[in-house]
Amino acid sequence: MNRAPSRQTLPRAQLVADRAFAALSRFLHIEAVSGVVLLLAAAIALIWANSPAAASYHALWHAPLTLGIGPYVSVQSLHFWINDALMAVFFLVVGMEIRREIHEGALASLPLAALPLAAALGGVLVPALIYVALNTDPTTLRGWAVPTATDIAFAVGVLALLGRSIPGNVRVLLLALAIIDDIVAVLIIAVFYSGGLDFSGLLVAGLGIFMVLGLQRIGIGSAWAYVVPGAVLWLGLLQTGAHPTLAGVVLGLMTPVLPVRLRGEAPVTRVQRALHPWVAYAVMPLFALANAGVTLDGVDLASGSAQAVTLGVVLALVLGKPLGVLGASWLAVRLGLCRLPDGVTWSGVGLVGLLAGIGFTMSIFIATLAFDDAQLLGAAKLGVLLASLLAAVLGLSWGFLQAWRARRSAPLA
């Protein structure tokens, strides 16, 4: 009787592929479920901020919270610790996902990355241009990057509602596009939304990086050992004037993709798997709860500036994203730089473009960096919420229509 080959006898390439597909499946499942949790958190924040208890909502996030050891104490608002410290863990997972995809995923080679790279760049440039066309005033122009981002959790969550009628390669394309979007968003934050740099902080940040490299050099694989070096890096970036959450990205990109020992799991896979559920089910919903509470009667859309910001964000995400994704993808294929993956049609690319208009987490995060004025910040957040809802509805409608057409055209058994 023939026996199935044991795991030890399988070719190494197949083992790597099995691990990659298992990691992708786990990632997509967590993102799909967390998208629902994120939506609930945003809804709670919006209802709370517009209820008779609205004062308690704002008072909670502005409450001072003291953290420190001995003489090293920092007193900041709860909102600061969530947006500037806790979100560094979110960016750490983003950095590790980027590192893993570059090593063995959709970004591992130019032929694999060409289509999502073109789609993502089109999905960044076109929305930015639409927003800039509607916001020429220097005050509102600072929000040009708000509609350039894609929320992986929400987008994958909406895609999951369409079930197995959507080809697997469409999901991979959406995931790869969202990851490249994250890379662009990180670069935008570093270049355009960091204050004037205090170079003395670079010495502290460099010390944190040196400590990380030292621990890696001697083969320390425990994630807890890197908490102190990560904190030093975070403090250094905070001192420089760069946004301190970028420390998470730096650490994520430095995480080894090969096992520390001969037998074992790569740190980038192990740490990401451990942190991902915490980020998906705790960090991101908490961020949404703290930032999605837009007081609607406090946003004066009769004001020309606020109206331009909201309209610019909505049109850029809902129209600019699909137009940019489709247009850039078509151009890349037309020029022979890439081809559509098996099972992906232009209708599928259109679906990816529509879902890419769900900006939410990263868009709101950029809005908090772009606007100091509460009126404009509220207008930008309102635009993100409206656009994300519209993009989700349009994406679902388009996906169900394509599934219905596929069933109609399928041959009878």
Side-chain angles (χ1 to χ4, degrees), residues 271-288:
V271 178
Q272 185 195 27
R273 186 179 66 244
L275 288 178
H276 193 194
W278 289 98
V279 168
Y281 300 130
V283 175
M284 291 174 65
L286 189 57
F287 173 83

Side-chain angles (χ1 to χ4, degrees), residues 263-335:
R263 298 177 62 86
E265 193 173 26
V268 72
T269 303
R270 173 169 49 81
V271 178
Q272 185 195 27
R273 186 179 66 244
L275 288 178
H276 193 194
W278 289 98
V279 168
Y281 300 130
V283 175
M284 291 174 65
L286 189 57
F287 173 83
L289 193 62
N291 290 276
V294 181
T295 304
L296 298 180
D297 61 4
V299 180
D300 182 15
L301 290 182
S303 163
S305 296
Q307 192 177 79
V309 169
T310 301
L311 185 63
V313 170
V314 171
L315 290 180
L317 281 171
V318 176
L319 295 180
K321 275 289 186 180
L323 288 176
V325 168
L326 263 173
S329 299
W330 178 86
L331 185 62
V333 172
R334 183 74 174 176
L335 293 175

Side-chain angles (χ1 to χ4, degrees), residues 167-190:
N169 277 338
V170 172
R171 302 173 193 276
V172 173
L173 177 60
L174 176 61
L175 181 61
L177 180 148
I179 290 170
I180 296 171
D181 257 9
D182 283 344
I183 297 174
V184 176
V186 167
L187 293 174
I188 288 174
I189 291 169

Side-chain angles (χ1 to χ4, degrees), residues 81-131:
W81 290 117
I82 291 172
N83 281 28
D84 290 56
L86 202 57
M87 282 296 284
V89 184
F90 164 79
F91 280 99
L92 172 61
V93 172
V94 169
M96 287 189 290
E97 180 61 25
I98 293 170
R99 182 73 178 95
R100 195 179 63 80
E101 290 294 325
I102 290 174
H103 175 67
E104 61 180 10
L107 309 180
S109 66
L110 185 58
L112 286 174
L115 180 61
L117 182 61
L121 292 179
V124 168
L125 291 175
V126 175
L129 290 174
I130 290 177
Y131 181 91

Side-chain angles (χ1 to χ4, degrees), residues 109-354:
S109 66
L110 185 58
L112 286 174
L115 180 61
L117 182 61
L121 292 179
V124 168
L125 291 175
V126 175
L129 290 174
I130 290 177
Y131 181 91
V132 168
L134 296 172
N135 290 272
T136 55
D137 183 87
T139 306
T140 61
L141 187 61
R142 277 189 55 82
W144 66 270
V146 172
T148 61
T150 297
D151 190 287
I152 297 179
F154 262 154
V156 171
V158 172
L159 191 63
L161 295 177
L162 296 172
R164 297 190 176 183
S165 60
I166 304 301
N169 277 338
V170 172
R171 302 173 193 276
V172 173
L173 177 60
L174 176 61
L175 181 61
L177 180 148
I179 290 170
I180 296 171
D181 257 9
D182 283 344
I183 297 174
V184 176
V186 167
L187 293 174
I188 288 174
I189 291 169
V191 175
F192 297 100
Y193 294 109
S194 293
L197 295 181
D198 177 359
F199 291 99
S200 63
L202 292 179
L203 295 175
V204 179
L207 174 62
I209 293 175
F210 180 78
M211 292 168 69
V212 171
L213 293 174
L215 290 174
Q216 290 179 352
R217 180 71 175 176
I218 61 178
I220 302 297
S222 173
W224 291 106
Y226 294 87
V227 171
V228 172
V232 172
L233 176 57
W234 184 88
L235 287 169
L237 290 179
L238 180 65
Q239 185 177 335
T240 64
H243 204 273
T245 52
L246 296 175
V249 179
V250 174
L251 287 177
L253 293 175
M254 292 177 67
T255 307
V257 293
L258 298 175
V260 176
R261 296 178 179 83
L262 185 60
R263 298 177 62 86
E265 193 173 26
V268 72
T269 303
R270 173 169 49 81
V271 178
Q272 185 195 27
R273 186 179 66 244
L275 288 178
H276 193 194
W278 289 98
V279 168
Y281 300 130
V283 175
M284 291 174 65
L286 189 57
F287 173 83
L289 193 62
N291 290 276
V294 181
T295 304
L296 298 180
D297 61 4
V299 180
D300 182 15
L301 290 182
S303 163
S305 296
Q307 192 177 79
V309 169
T310 301
L311 185 63
V313 170
V314 171
L315 290 180
L317 281 171
V318 176
L319 295 180
K321 275 289 186 180
L323 288 176
V325 168
L326 263 173
S329 299
W330 178 86
L331 185 62
V333 172
R334 183 74 174 176
L335 293 175
L337 301 177
C338 58
R339 63 178 181 84
L340 294 183
D342 294 338
V344 177
T345 63
W346 286 112
S347 295
V349 177
L351 174 61
V352 169
L354 289 170

